[in-house]
Amino acid sequence: LTQLTLALLKPDLTANSLKVSKVLGHIQQNDFNIVAHKKLLWSKNDAEAFYGEHRGKFFFERLCGYMTSGHFHALILEKPNAIPEWRSLIGPTHPPRARINAPDTLRSLYGMTDTRNSFHGSDAVSSAKEEIRFFFPEYDFEKWEQQT
Ligand code: CMP
C-alpha cells in the first residue's frame, strides 16, 4: 500500500549543503518519490507547537532550541509502506547506538546526539497526516487518497 510520510532534515544536517545533496540522492536511490519539499526556519512558538507532545520532558527545551537553530528541510515522501520504510532508513533515535546496531542508516551516518539526530519521520498513518497538514497545509491530501 502506497503511503505518504513527513520527513525532516534537521538544522545540523541542513547547514551542510553537501550532506543535504547526498541525503536527497540516498532518498531517491531508496525509491522514495519526493512529492513536496520546502526549506523553512522556525520560531520558538512553531517548534513548541509541533513538539507539543514532548512538553514537560527533560529534553523539550533542548529539542526546541535545536530545531530553531537554523533552516531545515521538510519533505513529503511517497512509497509503498513509506512510514515504516523511512523510519527504518533513518534508524534509531540515538546516533551512537545506531552506529553499533544499524550502521547503514542515515542517523548512523550523519547524526550526532539523541537531540541532534539530523532526521525525523512520522511514526503512524495518523501522525503522518497531521504532520503533513502542519508543514504543507496547501497539500491536497484527500485528492492523493482518492488517486491511490
Ligand atoms: P524526532 O523523531 O524528531 O521526535 C522527537 C525528538 O526528540 C527526537 O527526534 C529527538 O531529536 C528528541 N529526543 C527524543 N528522545 C530524546 C532523548 N532521550 N534525549 C534528547 N532528545 C531526545
Side-chain angles (χ1 to χ4, degrees), residues 6 15 25 29 32 48 75-77 82 87 99 111:
L6 188 278
Q29 274 161 21
F32 289 92
E48 292 184 355
L75 301 95
I76 304 177
L77 302 180
R87 284 176 72 89
R99 287 193 262 279

Side-chain angles (χ1 to χ4, degrees), residues 113-134:
T113 66
D114 46 12
T115 299
R116 296 162 66 79
N117 62 2
S118 308
F119 301 94
H120 169 81
S122 308
D123 63 0
V125 172
S126 57
S127 52
K129 195 164 181 170
E130 276 172 31
E131 293 175 5
I132 288 168
R133 285 229 175 91
F134 185 95

